[in-house]
Amino acid sequence: MSPQWVLRLGYFLAFTMLSLMVREYYLPSPDENESGTGTLIINYISLVSAIGAAVIASMVAGQFSKGESPHRIWVLFSVGLWLWVAGEVSVMDYSFFPADNISPDFEMVDVFWLLGYLFLGLSLFLQLLAAYGVKHRRRIYLFYVGMVAFAVLVAAGLTILIRNQNPEGDSWLFLFVTLLYPVLDVFEGGTALWLSFLFARGQWSRPWWGLILFAITDGIDAFYWSGGYNLVPVSFQNILDFVSLITYPSSYMIAGLALLSNFFILRYGMNSGLLTVPKKKTLSNLGKG
């Protein structure tokens, strides 16, 4: 099967899984409601999407030699995704990892998520370093550390603000971690967008696009836990729930499919059928715009 057909099959499977999630969200059977099967199906789709993205990221990293800069970049990227896979498993099965519930407000899944952000952030750091050159290492390092510190301060400030308005609500730690996720998403997603412009929205920027969608999902989650749902009508709450439901696995799917395309290009080059050759100017088309 050609790389193009494999990618088409991937798009079809992604569309099918998202359609199944929509069906389970809007039209669950009475038996599924009672047994919780619908929720389990949705969780498994997210897990499969995460595993697929992590596997393909590892395959991309394997296309480079250990001494090459891209190898380090994509190894860190794949490690970050594998940590998020562990987080997905932790959410689905609390008994899978020992001492899963570290505390009521900070669980093992939070450890996996935050470590995943760390490795993805390091991958972005190395990507920026490769784009700008070693001579800008200090500037990029200061940018990275400064943005992480800024993200922590923003999350802490929002936490204090919400706690002051509702002292009897969720704990400080729970709110801080919940708010930190979308702030980190914006930081890493914004950096990914900048990389996209550096690569002229090219092939190698696309795996980072999935990070941007996580900002939507985590932002909605933070909006809910901070009490924002109390400020909007139920109809709008349902819209937010649906958007969050779709964008979450879509983030993994977009990253995975983009990585799969890159893997085929690295492995097969022009024979992959995924690269376009620019047209050469000829006497017959020199006057064409």
Side-chain angles (χ1 to χ4, degrees), residues 53 77 81 206-208 210-211 250-260:
F77 191 92
L81 289 181
R206 293 171 189 173
W208 305 98
L211 294 177
S250 295
S251 303
Y252 290 122
M253 294 174 186
I254 289 172
L257 289 169
L259 286 164
L260 184 60

Side-chain angles (χ1 to χ4, degrees), residues 162-170:
I162 293 170
R163 286 282 295 166
N164 287 341
Q165 305 224 343
N166 185 18
E168 303 301 320
D170 295 302

Side-chain angles (χ1 to χ4, degrees), residues 170-243:
D170 295 302
S171 71
W172 196 96
L173 178 61
F174 177 83
L175 273 177
F176 172 74
V177 173
T178 301
L179 292 167
L180 183 61
Y181 290 143
V183 175
L184 288 174
D185 286 329
V186 170
F187 161 52
E188 295 195 343
T191 307
L193 271 177
W194 180 247
L195 281 172
S196 178
F197 285 112
L198 285 180
F199 288 115
R201 296 178 293 281
Q203 188 74 28
W204 286 99
S205 69
R206 293 171 189 173
W208 305 98
W209 293 359
L211 294 177
I212 301 168
L213 282 183
F214 277 116
I216 298 174
T217 300
D218 289 331
I220 292 173
D221 188 53
F223 185 66
Y224 170 80
W225 287 109
S226 62
Y229 268 40
N230 297 326
L231 306 176
V232 297
V234 175
S235 59
F236 191 68
Q237 294 176 20
N238 293 333
I239 292 173
L240 291 177
D241 289 341
F242 177 74
V243 171

Side-chain angles (χ1 to χ4, degrees), residues 34-178:
E34 291 180 8
S35 63
T37 304
T39 301
L40 192 60
I41 289 174
I42 290 173
N43 288 339
Y44 270 117
I45 289 174
S46 296
L47 176 61
V48 169
S49 303
I51 291 174
V55 167
I56 300 169
S58 301
M59 291 165 58
V60 169
Q63 296 300 301
F64 298 97
S65 301
K66 288 186 178 180
E68 294 181 286
S69 177
H71 180 264
R72 294 191 295 271
I73 291 170
W74 296 110
V75 164
L76 289 169
F77 191 92
S78 61
V79 169
L81 289 181
W82 279 116
L83 285 165
W84 283 2
V85 169
E88 298 291 345
V89 174
S90 179
V91 168
M92 294 179 64
D93 185 0
Y94 288 100
S95 63
F96 190 87
F97 293 100
D100 186 62
N101 291 316
I102 298 174
S103 79
D105 302 317
F106 190 79
E107 299 178 343
M108 199 67 189
V109 62
D110 295 305
V111 175
F112 289 128
W113 282 123
L114 291 174
L115 285 175
Y117 278 112
L118 172 65
F119 280 90
L120 289 170
L122 289 173
S123 178
L124 279 170
F125 171 77
L126 291 182
Q127 185 70 82
L128 285 170
L129 197 61
Y132 282 101
V134 179
K135 63 181 181 179
H136 295 290
R137 178 191 294 269
R138 179 177 174 80
R139 185 181 302 176
I140 296 171
Y141 176 77
L142 291 174
F143 165 79
Y144 181 80
V145 173
M147 288 304 295
V148 171
F150 180 72
V152 171
L153 288 174
V154 169
L158 290 173
T159 301
I160 293 171
L161 181 64
I162 293 170
R163 286 282 295 166
N164 287 341
Q165 305 224 343
N166 185 18
E168 303 301 320
D170 295 302
S171 71
W172 196 96
L173 178 61
F174 177 83
L175 273 177
F176 172 74
V177 173
T178 301

